[in-house]
Structure formats: structure tokens, C-alpha cells
Amino acid sequence: MPEGDSLHRIAARLQPLVGHVVSASSPNPRGRVTGVAAAIDGRRLESVEAVGKHLILRFDGRVLLRSHLRMTGRWTIGPAAQTRRGSPWLVLRVGAVEAAQWNGPVLTLEARVVRTLGSDLLADATEPVALVARLRRGSSGRLLGEALQDQRLVAGIGNMWMSETLWQAGLSPWLSVESVDDGELVAALTWARDSMRAAVVDARPQRAVYRRTGRPCSRCGEAIRARGQGDENRTAYWCPGCQRGPSPMAR
């Protein structure tokens, strides 16, 4: 699933369309039934921003479009004259530039869910210290790896960045939030924020644990483990040798 840095990178690439009237269409029937293209065609795009894993496009007339890519969706931005293969859910065109959203799955004019999100980790105004306080209030009795992926607490972190962040911090995703002190949480969130911001303009860092099940840890040599976590069974990756905390049976 695309995580916060991916959405910020898409938002940055869409900026050339901001301030212009867009021509909108939905070549794919599944995109057409959303009614999005008809609602925004001929409107001026006023802003594009990423909020956690959501992309928000605001048009004149107080029309707001929300895109969430989940596991299958993607955006492409390029020359409008370029031959397109396939049927995207939405195409936005301004002069010689075309942006297309492919494979849905969330493309809607309804954005109430955004108001339930925690602070976007990559936003300039977001401070890790404030995020720690929110984690403390909203994650009583929860596992650290699960809490960090709760978008109501911290918006933008998925299982890839959670796993890499906790490896860097030397903390197991199976620790309870209460068992980790504020200094450790601030350090972990600061690393995640700085690394994700860097990944918006450059490549992501080399993975230490994510999707490296069974391979040796580059820090201690122990085999990396993986197991589903939480109600949504998102896979956590960790090193039982150098990440402090419990280590349940791996799958």
C-alpha cells in the first residue's frame, strides 16, 4: 500500500495543474459511476495536498475530491499527447499535461473521513512530541506496531515504514505502547518523519526488515521474522535479536 511519502510525492507532481481549469473524464466505467469527472470537469483546481494516505484535490465551487490508493491504485502524470494504454478511472488534463488515476479503489467527492485523521507526519506543523501525547491518549493497551499504523493517531505510516522505523529504534512491534518511554517514541517518530520527507524527493532508504523474512539482520545477523498484527492482520517485520521486546512465533 502506498504510504505517506508516496502520496506527498504524487501531490508534488500534480502541482503544475493547480490554478488551471481542468478537463476531466472517466474512461473506465467504474470511475464513471463515481460521478467525479462530471462534477469537476471545467472547474479550476485550487489546491492539491496529501493528508496521511489520502490525496485531497480542491476545486472552485467548494468541490473536494478524495483519492485513496489502497493496494491497487496509482497516479501517473505526463504529457497529454502520450499514447495511453488501458482505462484509468479519472483523467485530468490541463494543456499538454495529463494526470490519470488508475484502478481506484477510492475516488470520491466525500471527504469526512479526513477529519478523523491524526496529524500528517510529514506536515511542517507536525511535531513528534505532540504525536507522542496523542499516541498515549489513544492507544491504551495496544501494541506499538499496531498503534503507529492507526491513521487516527498518526497519519501516513503503513506497515513498511512502521517496520523500518522500529528496526531503526531497536524496538519490537510487539511491545505495548505503555512499555516504551517518551524519548524512545519521539526518536522513532522523528526518524520516520525525516526519512519519509527525504523519500518524497529521493529514493526510499534500503530496507532493513520489510519483506526480508528469513534473511539475516544487517545489524546482528538474526533471521528477520514476519507475522500479521492487529484486527486488520497487517504484516509486521522485525528482528528478534536486536529489537527490544517480545517476539511471538513467526509465520
Side-chain angles (χ1 to χ4, degrees), residues 78-118:
Q82 182 174 312
T83 301
R84 187 195 323 126
R85 295 182 180 179
S87 299
W89 280 39
L90 178 66
V91 175
L92 304 178
R93 182 174 293 182
V94 173
V97 180
E98 179 180 284
Q101 198 275 350
W102 303 77
N103 300 327
V106 177
L107 195 64
T108 177
L109 300 172
E110 192 282 309
R112 284 178 295 179
V113 67
V114 177
R115 294 196 288 272
T116 69
L117 298 176

Side-chain angles (χ1 to χ4, degrees), residues 6-192:
S6 299
L7 274 298
H8 277 263
R9 187 162 51 250
I10 294 168
R13 295 191 63 202
L14 286 171
Q15 292 308 310
L17 279 63
V18 173
H20 299 280
V21 173
V22 304
S23 172
S25 61
S26 288
N28 190 302
R30 295 182 66 187
R32 203 171 304 135
V33 298
T34 67
V36 165
I40 63 177
D41 184 43
R43 292 187 180 274
R44 187 178 304 278
L45 178 59
E46 296 181 338
S47 67
V48 179
E49 67 172 330
V51 182
K53 300 179 184 180
H54 303 261
L55 191 69
I56 306 298
L57 292 81
R58 291 182 171 84
F59 295 84
D60 62 8
R62 302 175 66 85
V63 176
L64 188 150
L65 166 63
R66 177 173 67 92
S67 167
H68 192 299
L69 301 177
R70 293 188 179 167
M71 297 294 290
T72 60
R74 62 189 176 96
W75 279 87
T76 58
I77 300 97
Q82 182 174 312
T83 301
R84 187 195 323 126
R85 295 182 180 179
S87 299
W89 280 39
L90 178 66
V91 175
L92 304 178
R93 182 174 293 182
V94 173
V97 180
E98 179 180 284
Q101 198 275 350
W102 303 77
N103 300 327
V106 177
L107 195 64
T108 177
L109 300 172
E110 192 282 309
R112 284 178 295 179
V113 67
V114 177
R115 294 196 288 272
T116 69
L117 298 176
S119 298
D120 185 306
L121 182 60
L122 279 69
D124 291 340
T126 299
E127 292 293 337
V129 172
L131 292 179
V132 168
R134 191 177 181 96
L135 280 168
R136 295 288 189 212
R137 292 193 301 270
S139 57
S140 177
R142 298 179 71 185
L143 297 177
L144 180 58
E146 183 183 0
L148 287 178
Q149 295 181 79
D150 187 336
Q151 301 301 295
R152 297 168 298 180
L153 303 177
V154 182
I157 297 178
N159 64 336
M160 191 283 286
W161 279 111
M162 178 277 292
S163 298
E164 294 299 306
T165 294
L166 294 184
W167 182 84
Q168 290 288 338
L171 301 171
S172 170
W174 303 96
L175 286 165
S176 66
V177 174
E178 289 84 355
S179 68
V180 182
D181 65 42
D182 285 1
E184 291 174 311
L185 288 175
V186 169
L189 288 167
T190 298
W191 182 89

